[in-house]
Amino acid sequence: MTKKLSVAIGFFLLVAATGCSSEDNLLPENNESSNSITNGDITLRYGEGDLAKSVELKNSTVNFTRFDQNGQKFSVAQKTVTYTPNLSGAIAAVGSNWYNINNGETYYIPEGTTFTGGFNFNSAGKIIVLGELAGSNWINVPNGGKVEVGNNGKISSSVNFHLNSGGTLNNYGFVTYTTGSVDGIINNYNNLNFNNSESLNGSSTVNNYCRMVFNAQNNYLNATLNNEGYLTFEKGFHVNGSGILNLKPQSFAEVTGGSVSIDGKVSNTGSSFARMDFANMSFGNLNASPALTGLIDMNFTNTSYSVLQNNNKINNQVTLNSNTYIAAGECTPQKGIAPCSDSQLQFTLVANVVSPSINNTTLSATGVTVNNGFAYVSYHTNDALSGSNTQGAIRILNVTDYSAPSLVSEALFNNIEFNNVDVANNKIYAVGGDKNGSKLVTAPLYNNVFNTQDLSSFTNYKLPSSTAKNSYFYNNYLYASTGTTGGGFFKLDPNNGFAVAEQFNFAGERAKYVAHNNTYQVFLATQANGASLRIANNDGSNAKVYNYAGLAQSVTDGKNVIVLDDEYVYLALSDKGVAKIRLNDGQLMNTFVPRNFKVNNQNVFSQNGLTNAVAVSNCYLYLANGTDGVIVLNKTNFKVVGYYKLNGSANYIYINNNLAFVATGQSGLNILKIN
């Protein structure tokens, strides 16, 4: 029976209208003053009264157990090194004089002075530059010869300075290197500029620990250039076959113009990322395969990089446009987004939302989505506790005020239960099932809430299989995952009663979950011999299927929620914990199984705990892990940050901005603020 009432007298008449149906047994026993309308199958409730009593405000700090472990080191802030010269027995070089340096002799340019003369190395000796080395004389540093530039020292661009094989330059100050080749060893601890086209010849080794700039074009790397600081090529470079550009972990290198060709290698052999940025440049010949290897994050501005994605030019550790964080230091600028601080992470339990009850059956939350400051929550009956009952609910909470969420409406269903809910185009899409199979229920939203005047706005549709797992609406179609016999992954047409427009699943697979971001659509299915992912464009096109035998689960009836950030998909895999997979190539990047985690050789989490669901934020991964509570991982390296427990078993988690929604079965839905 449908009730249509005017807005002006709605509240008064709706209270009186609830007795019009003889099947109003969906209402809880305590229905003090909340308004309601029912047709026997659906009861819609709204307004103040016992709905408000369902939200128990807590605003209490959650006990978050942390682990004292070393997380990922995003960056080491490089510092200039303080240089203390040894002037014992050294001879001062002054004015424009000319000096012959014999074996073992040391000459120095005093601080605050400018020397415009010359040096002739007769054998291995040393020059210490504490002032300025200027003039235009040639200075050839021989095998065994050494030049040290102090913190305030300088070699100017007019000096024809050259390192021969075995010669060494240790720069703690400011050096401009103008000759066209390096044959010796450079250790740069401060600022060094190569002013002309440069060839690092095979006998050379160049180590940059601070700031190094190649100003000109036609730079050739025939030996090893190690970057542990900030390295700039203003007009590109060419790594020849014997050359290596070795990017140390947490270093930053950039190319701001010109062209880059690689016949040798650009590599990082360390265990954390180096960053390399490319702007307003182009790639020439990349004859090495791969040309770039290791943990290198490459970021591009006004630069085409499609050549890198073909013919194995980068290995599977290299990332593109991940915006890896580099902290600002004395030698480096800040790049990327600053990481979260594990030590500052904490949680406040804002509220517990008591589960709805129908005919003395308490429901459990199964899914959450947030839209325009309102949270939409789906509920079902717990089969283990409720037998064959099929009852469900959809609730709407106003969460615009983080400290005081309120329950504004709920729809109770006598014959349908729900596994998930989605909101799009001012409409709600809730999927689940009844005793006859899979179901979809839709209803329009008015100012983010249900139409409280007319129950006929709720429409249900039959879907394939016995129950629908979850869905999302995109580009005028609904994409839904439905499980067990006759199930799969479907594209449904709302203009044709949500009939199947296309089916994407594969023979022998058990459909689990579908999720998406702004670029990708991912469908998870399981088989006896492992898990499989279908990764496609957001509309389902250009799909690739990846199989993971190592992710075979012993427990196969779990919820298996998946969630995406921009680059990865994270899978909740019951007894197999969580897995991280790269979207652009299906590469399995990392796994974490809570029951295997130990501290001081002792298990921390339950040996029968299951990872039911997963959520992701800018820095962290959150696992709903049953009686273990919520486990927090660093999403980059899967280090355990900590965990917290709530009343009941953590069965589902959803995060929107700084709010976390954790479903704990019949113990209710917990709303937490992430601080």
Side-chain angles (χ1 to χ4, degrees), residues 250-278:
Q250 298 94 48
S251 67
F252 174 52
E254 63 180 349
V255 181
T256 59
S259 178
V260 169
S261 297
I262 303 174
D263 297 317
K265 281 285 184 292
V266 177
S267 66
N268 172 17
T269 59
S271 58
S272 61
F273 272 92
R275 174 169 176 149
M276 195 168 192
D277 287 7
F278 301 84

PDB file of all heavy atoms in Angstrom, residues 250-278:
ATOM      1  N   GLN A 250      66.639   7.662  -2.452  1.00  0.00           N
ATOM      2  CA  GLN A 250      66.260   8.978  -1.943  1.00  0.00           C
ATOM      3  C   GLN A 250      66.940  10.151  -2.647  1.00  0.00           C
ATOM      4  O   GLN A 250      66.837  11.291  -2.213  1.00  0.00           O
ATOM      5  CB  GLN A 250      66.511   9.085  -0.433  1.00  0.00           C
ATOM      6  CG  GLN A 250      65.703   8.118   0.407  1.00  0.00           C
ATOM      7  CD  GLN A 250      66.449   6.860   0.708  1.00  0.00           C
ATOM      8  OE1 GLN A 250      67.597   6.888   1.125  1.00  0.00           O
ATOM      9  NE2 GLN A 250      65.801   5.734   0.512  1.00  0.00           N
ATOM     10  N   SER A 251      67.654   9.894  -3.750  1.00  0.00           N
ATOM     11  CA  SER A 251      68.258  10.991  -4.507  1.00  0.00           C
ATOM     12  C   SER A 251      67.239  11.578  -5.477  1.00  0.00           C
ATOM     13  O   SER A 251      66.200  10.981  -5.760  1.00  0.00           O
ATOM     14  CB  SER A 251      69.484  10.497  -5.276  1.00  0.00           C
ATOM     15  OG  SER A 251      69.094   9.580  -6.295  1.00  0.00           O
ATOM     16  N   PHE A 252      67.561  12.783  -6.003  1.00  0.00           N
ATOM     17  CA  PHE A 252      66.685  13.450  -6.960  1.00  0.00           C
ATOM     18  C   PHE A 252      67.513  13.927  -8.140  1.00  0.00           C
ATOM     19  O   PHE A 252      68.538  14.584  -7.980  1.00  0.00           O
ATOM     20  CB  PHE A 252      65.983  14.638  -6.300  1.00  0.00           C
ATOM     21  CG  PHE A 252      65.163  15.476  -7.250  1.00  0.00           C
ATOM     22  CD1 PHE A 252      64.216  14.886  -8.070  1.00  0.00           C
ATOM     23  CD2 PHE A 252      65.338  16.847  -7.325  1.00  0.00           C
ATOM     24  CE1 PHE A 252      63.453  15.643  -8.948  1.00  0.00           C
ATOM     25  CE2 PHE A 252      64.581  17.618  -8.191  1.00  0.00           C
ATOM     26  CZ  PHE A 252      63.641  17.018  -9.004  1.00  0.00           C
ATOM     27  N   ALA A 253      67.063  13.568  -9.342  1.00  0.00           N
ATOM     28  CA  ALA A 253      67.705  14.025 -10.571  1.00  0.00           C
ATOM     29  C   ALA A 253      66.633  14.578 -11.495  1.00  0.00           C
ATOM     30  O   ALA A 253      65.482  14.136 -11.460  1.00  0.00           O
ATOM     31  CB  ALA A 253      68.453  12.879 -11.252  1.00  0.00           C
ATOM     32  N   GLU A 254      67.010  15.552 -12.319  1.00  0.00           N
ATOM     33  CA  GLU A 254      66.041  16.138 -13.238  1.00  0.00           C
ATOM     34  C   GLU A 254      66.702  16.471 -14.567  1.00  0.00           C
ATOM     35  O   GLU A 254      67.897  16.748 -14.642  1.00  0.00           O
ATOM     36  CB  GLU A 254      65.407  17.394 -12.641  1.00  0.00           C
ATOM     37  CG  GLU A 254      66.374  18.523 -12.368  1.00  0.00           C
ATOM     38  CD  GLU A 254      65.700  19.752 -11.777  1.00  0.00           C
ATOM     39  OE1 GLU A 254      64.456  19.801 -11.763  1.00  0.00           O
ATOM     40  OE2 GLU A 254      66.418  20.671 -11.334  1.00  0.00           O
ATOM     41  N   VAL A 255      65.891  16.421 -15.622  1.00  0.00           N
ATOM     42  CA  VAL A 255      66.290  16.838 -16.958  1.00  0.00           C
ATOM     43  C   VAL A 255      65.309  17.922 -17.369  1.00  0.00           C
ATOM     44  O   VAL A 255      64.099  17.687 -17.425  1.00  0.00           O
ATOM     45  CB  VAL A 255      66.259  15.669 -17.960  1.00  0.00           C
ATOM     46  CG1 VAL A 255      66.711  16.142 -19.337  1.00  0.00           C
ATOM     47  CG2 VAL A 255      67.125  14.518 -17.476  1.00  0.00           C
ATOM     48  N   THR A 256      65.815  19.126 -17.640  1.00  0.00           N
ATOM     49  CA  THR A 256      64.923  20.263 -17.880  1.00  0.00           C
ATOM     50  C   THR A 256      64.881  20.709 -19.330  1.00  0.00           C
ATOM     51  O   THR A 256      64.286  21.737 -19.647  1.00  0.00           O
ATOM     52  CB  THR A 256      65.336  21.453 -16.989  1.00  0.00           C
ATOM     53  OG1 THR A 256      66.695  21.820 -17.275  1.00  0.00           O
ATOM     54  CG2 THR A 256      65.217  21.092 -15.512  1.00  0.00           C
ATOM     55  N   GLY A 257      65.496  19.949 -20.222  1.00  0.00           N
ATOM     56  CA  GLY A 257      65.462  20.262 -21.643  1.00  0.00           C
ATOM     57  C   GLY A 257      66.344  19.312 -22.414  1.00  0.00           C
ATOM     58  O   GLY A 257      66.946  18.393 -21.857  1.00  0.00           O
ATOM     59  N   GLY A 258      66.423  19.511 -23.730  1.00  0.00           N
ATOM     60  CA  GLY A 258      67.289  18.697 -24.551  1.00  0.00           C
ATOM     61  C   GLY A 258      66.750  17.304 -24.791  1.00  0.00           C
ATOM     62  O   GLY A 258      65.546  17.065 -24.773  1.00  0.00           O
ATOM     63  N   SER A 259      67.676  16.368 -24.967  1.00  0.00           N
ATOM     64  CA  SER A 259      67.314  15.001 -25.314  1.00  0.00           C
ATOM     65  C   SER A 259      68.115  14.018 -24.474  1.00  0.00           C
ATOM     66  O   SER A 259      69.249  14.309 -24.078  1.00  0.00           O
ATOM     67  CB  SER A 259      67.591  14.747 -26.801  1.00  0.00           C
ATOM     68  OG  SER A 259      67.304  13.418 -27.157  1.00  0.00           O
ATOM     69  N   VAL A 260      67.512  12.857 -24.212  1.00  0.00           N
ATOM     70  CA  VAL A 260      68.174  11.806 -23.443  1.00  0.00           C
ATOM     71  C   VAL A 260      68.244  10.543 -24.294  1.00  0.00           C
ATOM     72  O   VAL A 260      67.227  10.085 -24.822  1.00  0.00           O
ATOM     73  CB  VAL A 260      67.418  11.511 -22.134  1.00  0.00           C
ATOM     74  CG1 VAL A 260      67.960  10.246 -21.474  1.00  0.00           C
ATOM     75  CG2 VAL A 260      67.532  12.693 -21.183  1.00  0.00           C
ATOM     76  N   SER A 261      69.452   9.990 -24.423  1.00  0.00           N
ATOM     77  CA  SER A 261      69.663   8.713 -25.093  1.00  0.00           C
ATOM     78  C   SER A 261      70.396   7.789 -24.137  1.00  0.00           C
ATOM     79  O   SER A 261      71.255   8.236 -23.364  1.00  0.00           O
ATOM     80  CB  SER A 261      70.480   8.884 -26.375  1.00  0.00           C
ATOM     81  OG  SER A 261      69.781   9.683 -27.314  1.00  0.00           O
ATOM     82  N   ILE A 262      70.053   6.496 -24.193  1.00  0.00           N
ATOM     83  CA  ILE A 262      70.643   5.549 -23.247  1.00  0.00           C
ATOM     84  C   ILE A 262      71.058   4.280 -23.990  1.00  0.00           C
ATOM     85  O   ILE A 262      70.213   3.545 -24.498  1.00  0.00           O
ATOM     86  CB  ILE A 262      69.660   5.196 -22.120  1.00  0.00           C
ATOM     87  CG1 ILE A 262      69.203   6.455 -21.384  1.00  0.00           C
ATOM     88  CG2 ILE A 262      70.301   4.219 -21.130  1.00  0.00           C
ATOM     89  CD1 ILE A 262      68.113   6.207 -20.353  1.00  0.00           C
ATOM     90  N   ASP A 263      72.364   4.061 -24.049  1.00  0.00           N
ATOM     91  CA  ASP A 263      72.904   2.792 -24.531  1.00  0.00           C
ATOM     92  C   ASP A 263      73.414   1.950 -23.369  1.00  0.00           C
ATOM     93  O   ASP A 263      73.552   0.741 -23.493  1.00  0.00           O
ATOM     94  CB  ASP A 263      74.045   3.027 -25.521  1.00  0.00           C
ATOM     95  CG  ASP A 263      73.571   3.751 -26.772  1.00  0.00           C
ATOM     96  OD1 ASP A 263      72.502   3.390 -27.285  1.00  0.00           O
ATOM     97  OD2 ASP A 263      74.259   4.689 -27.218  1.00  0.00           O
ATOM     98  N   GLY A 264      73.733   2.618 -22.254  1.00  0.00           N
ATOM     99  CA  GLY A 264      74.181   1.919 -21.055  1.00  0.00           C
ATOM    100  C   GLY A 264      73.024   1.690 -20.107  1.00  0.00           C
ATOM    101  O   GLY A 264      72.027   1.091 -20.475  1.00  0.00           O
ATOM    102  N   LYS A 265      73.130   2.231 -18.873  1.00  0.00           N
ATOM    103  CA  LYS A 265      72.094   1.984 -17.880  1.00  0.00           C
ATOM    104  C   LYS A 265      71.862   3.229 -17.019  1.00  0.00           C
ATOM    105  O   LYS A 265      72.799   3.943 -16.663  1.00  0.00           O
ATOM    106  CB  LYS A 265      72.489   0.827 -16.949  1.00  0.00           C
ATOM    107  CG  LYS A 265      72.296  -0.558 -17.529  1.00  0.00           C
ATOM    108  CD  LYS A 265      70.825  -0.957 -17.546  1.00  0.00           C
ATOM    109  CE  LYS A 265      70.636  -2.387 -18.034  1.00  0.00           C
ATOM    110  NZ  LYS A 265      70.973  -2.551 -19.448  1.00  0.00           N
ATOM    111  N   VAL A 266      70.595   3.450 -16.687  1.00  0.00           N
ATOM    112  CA  VAL A 266      70.212   4.320 -15.578  1.00  0.00           C
ATOM    113  C   VAL A 266      69.595   3.392 -14.552  1.00  0.00           C
ATOM    114  O   VAL A 266      68.625   2.687 -14.851  1.00  0.00           O
ATOM    115  CB  VAL A 266      69.210   5.408 -16.009  1.00  0.00           C
ATOM    116  CG1 VAL A 266      68.788   6.250 -14.806  1.00  0.00           C
ATOM    117  CG2 VAL A 266      69.818   6.295 -17.096  1.00  0.00           C
ATOM    118  N   SER A 267      70.158   3.346 -13.344  1.00  0.00           N
ATOM    119  CA  SER A 267      69.734   2.303 -12.423  1.00  0.00           C
ATOM    120  C   SER A 267      69.717   2.788 -10.986  1.00  0.00           C
ATOM    121  O   SER A 267      70.338   3.793 -10.631  1.00  0.00           O
ATOM    122  CB  SER A 267      70.655   1.078 -12.533  1.00  0.00           C
ATOM    123  OG  SER A 267      71.961   1.401 -12.092  1.00  0.00           O
ATOM    124  N   ASN A 268      68.991   2.036 -10.174  1.00  0.00           N
ATOM    125  CA  ASN A 268      69.011   2.183  -8.724  1.00  0.00           C
ATOM    126  C   ASN A 268      69.016   0.773  -8.164  1.00  0.00           C
ATOM    127  O   ASN A 268      68.052   0.026  -8.320  1.00  0.00           O
ATOM    128  CB  ASN A 268      67.789   2.962  -8.218  1.00  0.00           C
ATOM    129  CG  ASN A 268      67.683   2.955  -6.704  1.00  0.00           C
ATOM    130  OD1 ASN A 268      68.642   2.659  -5.995  1.00  0.00           O
ATOM    131  ND2 ASN A 268      66.502   3.285  -6.197  1.00  0.00           N
ATOM    132  N   THR A 269      70.095   0.393  -7.511  1.00  0.00           N
ATOM    133  CA  THR A 269      70.211  -0.957  -6.960  1.00  0.00           C
ATOM    134  C   THR A 269      69.822  -1.007  -5.491  1.00  0.00           C
ATOM    135  O   THR A 269      69.924  -2.056  -4.861  1.00  0.00           O
ATOM    136  CB  THR A 269      71.653  -1.479  -7.120  1.00  0.00           C
ATOM    137  OG1 THR A 269      72.550  -0.581  -6.442  1.00  0.00           O
ATOM    138  CG2 THR A 269      72.037  -1.574  -8.589  1.00  0.00           C
ATOM    139  N   GLY A 270      69.363   0.127  -4.951  1.00  0.00           N
ATOM    140  CA  GLY A 270      68.993   0.192  -3.545  1.00  0.00           C
ATOM    141  C   GLY A 270      67.600  -0.350  -3.283  1.00  0.00           C
ATOM    142  O   GLY A 270      66.891  -0.803  -4.188  1.00  0.00           O
ATOM    143  N   SER A 271      67.171  -0.262  -2.009  1.00  0.00           N
ATOM    144  CA  SER A 271      65.910  -0.855  -1.583  1.00  0.00           C
ATOM    145  C   SER A 271      64.795   0.174  -1.392  1.00  0.00           C
ATOM    146  O   SER A 271      63.713  -0.182  -0.935  1.00  0.00           O
ATOM    147  CB  SER A 271      66.115  -1.617  -0.270  1.00  0.00           C
ATOM    148  OG  SER A 271      66.610  -0.751   0.738  1.00  0.00           O
ATOM    149  N   SER A 272      65.048   1.443  -1.700  1.00  0.00           N
ATOM    150  CA  SER A 272      63.980   2.441  -1.683  1.00  0.00           C
ATOM    151  C   SER A 272      64.157   3.362  -2.884  1.00  0.00           C
ATOM    152  O   SER A 272      65.192   3.361  -3.543  1.00  0.00           O
ATOM    153  CB  SER A 272      63.962   3.227  -0.369  1.00  0.00           C
ATOM    154  OG  SER A 272      65.165   3.935  -0.179  1.00  0.00           O
ATOM    155  N   PHE A 273      63.138   4.174  -3.157  1.00  0.00           N
ATOM    156  CA  PHE A 273      63.060   4.876  -4.428  1.00  0.00           C
ATOM    157  C   PHE A 273      64.025   6.045  -4.548  1.00  0.00           C
ATOM    158  O   PHE A 273      64.306   6.760  -3.581  1.00  0.00           O
ATOM    159  CB  PHE A 273      61.645   5.398  -4.656  1.00  0.00           C
ATOM    160  CG  PHE A 273      60.751   4.401  -5.334  1.00  0.00           C
ATOM    161  CD1 PHE A 273      59.974   3.535  -4.594  1.00  0.00           C
ATOM    162  CD2 PHE A 273      60.694   4.322  -6.720  1.00  0.00           C
ATOM    163  CE1 PHE A 273      59.150   2.606  -5.204  1.00  0.00           C
ATOM    164  CE2 PHE A 273      59.886   3.395  -7.345  1.00  0.00           C
ATOM    165  CZ  PHE A 273      59.107   2.530  -6.588  1.00  0.00           C
ATOM    166  N   ALA A 274      64.511   6.229  -5.771  1.00  0.00           N
ATOM    167  CA  ALA A 274      65.099   7.485  -6.227  1.00  0.00           C
ATOM    168  C   ALA A 274      64.079   8.146  -7.149  1.00  0.00           C
ATOM    169  O   ALA A 274      63.202   7.485  -7.701  1.00  0.00           O
ATOM    170  CB  ALA A 274      66.405   7.238  -6.970  1.00  0.00           C
ATOM    171  N   ARG A 275      64.187   9.456  -7.309  1.00  0.00           N
ATOM    172  CA  ARG A 275      63.239  10.177  -8.158  1.00  0.00           C
ATOM    173  C   ARG A 275      63.989  10.862  -9.294  1.00  0.00           C
ATOM    174  O   ARG A 275      65.071  11.411  -9.101  1.00  0.00           O
ATOM    175  CB  ARG A 275      62.469  11.215  -7.341  1.00  0.00           C
ATOM    176  CG  ARG A 275      61.563  12.095  -8.186  1.00  0.00           C
ATOM    177  CD  ARG A 275      60.628  12.930  -7.355  1.00  0.00           C
ATOM    178  NE  ARG A 275      59.846  13.818  -8.218  1.00  0.00           N
ATOM    179  CZ  ARG A 275      58.616  14.220  -7.947  1.00  0.00           C
ATOM    180  NH1 ARG A 275      58.012  13.822  -6.830  1.00  0.00           N
ATOM    181  NH2 ARG A 275      57.981  15.028  -8.771  1.00  0.00           N
ATOM    182  N   MET A 276      63.355  10.842 -10.489  1.00  0.00           N
ATOM    183  CA  MET A 276      63.926  11.510 -11.657  1.00  0.00           C
ATOM    184  C   MET A 276      62.796  12.188 -12.409  1.00  0.00           C
ATOM    185  O   MET A 276      61.813  11.549 -12.791  1.00  0.00           O
ATOM    186  CB  MET A 276      64.651  10.506 -12.546  1.00  0.00           C
ATOM    187  CG  MET A 276      65.571  11.147 -13.566  1.00  0.00           C
ATOM    188  SD  MET A 276      66.659   9.936 -14.366  1.00  0.00           S
ATOM    189  CE  MET A 276      67.811  11.050 -15.184  1.00  0.00           C
ATOM    190  N   ASP A 277      62.913  13.517 -12.615  1.00  0.00           N
ATOM    191  CA  ASP A 277      61.888  14.307 -13.290  1.00  0.00           C
ATOM    192  C   ASP A 277      62.371  14.739 -14.667  1.00  0.00           C
ATOM    193  O   ASP A 277      63.555  15.068 -14.847  1.00  0.00           O
ATOM    194  CB  ASP A 277      61.530  15.548 -12.471  1.00  0.00           C
ATOM    195  CG  ASP A 277      60.710  15.213 -11.237  1.00  0.00           C
ATOM    196  OD1 ASP A 277      60.538  14.020 -10.957  1.00  0.00           O
ATOM    197  OD2 ASP A 277      60.264  16.149 -10.552  1.00  0.00           O
ATOM    198  N   PHE A 278      61.438  14.777 -15.630  1.00  0.00           N
ATOM    199  CA  PHE A 278      61.749  15.160 -17.004  1.00  0.00           C
ATOM    200  C   PHE A 278      60.758  16.236 -17.434  1.00  0.00           C
ATOM    201  O   PHE A 278      59.540  16.038 -17.342  1.00  0.00           O
ATOM    202  CB  PHE A 278      61.636  13.957 -17.940  1.00  0.00           C
ATOM    203  CG  PHE A 278      62.548  12.818 -17.594  1.00  0.00           C
ATOM    204  CD1 PHE A 278      62.173  11.878 -16.629  1.00  0.00           C
ATOM    205  CD2 PHE A 278      63.774  12.673 -18.213  1.00  0.00           C
ATOM    206  CE1 PHE A 278      63.003  10.822 -16.303  1.00  0.00           C
ATOM    207  CE2 PHE A 278      64.615  11.612 -17.891  1.00  0.00           C
ATOM    208  CZ  PHE A 278      64.225  10.688 -16.935  1.00  0.00           C
TER     209      PHE A 278
END
